Amino acid sequence: MSQSNFPIKKLVLTAMFGAMAFILMYFEFPLPFIAPEFYKLDFSEVPVLIGTFTMGPVAGVFIELIKILLKLLFKGTNTAYIGDLANFLIGCALLVPAGLIYQHKKTKQTAILGMAVGTVVMALAGCALNALVLLPWYAENFFGGMEPIIAAGAAVRASITDVWSFAVLAVVPFNLIKGVLTSILTFLLYKRIGRVIKRF
């Protein structure tokens, strides 16, 4: 595609990756040995990361935003938008470091390093957001307090006794597993999808 048409190509790819990410949100499953079952894993960040590596972290943020907006449009929200905002922020915590590192030097090594750094940042951001905002709000509005949430966490890991131990011992491992699996799939698929994109 000619250089003059590149912005159009970028817009089309951004929308396409956002739609793919949204579709993948429907295929979710819990990790009951790691966190309570209301935490569900999906692979919607895979097309977001691939789009980020293809077009840069700014495009990645827009892909993440499209994913969330489509989710709100077609599925609505069951957390009064707090969970959706957290999903967006935690997704950006993965893709922005990964995209910035890869953009600096586009090699397999920097891709792996970027995804590793992004996974750690995502786990830390998820821990803070859950402990400070999401869990207290969710518990107060849907359970009348933190006790049922803590009890659900303690059923998975007995050492969970408060909101911070829940975030550290359940949310952090959950996001680390999500980040590792997402990174592996992205690494395996990026070159294959990249060849298709080059023909686009």
Side-chain angles (χ1 to χ4, degrees), residues 16-147:
M16 182 183 74
F17 281 123
M20 290 170 58
F22 162 67
I23 291 169
L24 287 175
M25 292 184 80
Y26 279 93
F27 303 95
E28 56 183 12
F29 55 92
L31 296 176
F33 55 94
I34 296 294
E37 293 195 1
F38 52 83
Y39 282 88
K40 290 184 169 61
L41 176 67
D42 64 62
F43 294 111
S44 62
E45 304 304 336
V46 172
V48 179
L49 264 181
I50 292 173
T52 299
F53 285 162
T54 303
M55 297 177 288
V58 174
V61 171
F62 278 103
I63 294 168
E64 186 74 27
L65 180 62
I66 289 169
K67 179 191 83 170
I68 297 299
L69 291 177
L70 287 173
K71 185 263 178 187
L72 291 174
L73 180 64
F74 288 98
K75 295 180 70 175
T77 180
N78 55 8
T79 61
Y81 304 104
I82 298 295
D84 306 295
L85 176 61
N87 191 312
F88 173 75
L89 294 175
I90 292 170
C92 289
L94 170 65
L95 72 91
V96 171
L100 288 173
I101 291 171
Y102 182 70
Q103 194 174 45
H104 177 68
K105 188 178 182 181
K106 295 183 177 182
T107 65
K108 287 183 179 180
Q109 290 74 22
T110 54
I112 294 169
L113 175 62
M115 290 187 290
V117 172
T119 295
V120 172
V121 173
M122 179 179 71
L124 294 175
C127 178
L129 280 170
N130 274 270
L132 296 174
V133 180
L134 186 56
L135 283 172
W137 185 93
Y138 189 69
E140 186 63 32
N141 285 273
F142 290 91
F143 294 98
M146 281 298 303
E147 291 79 9

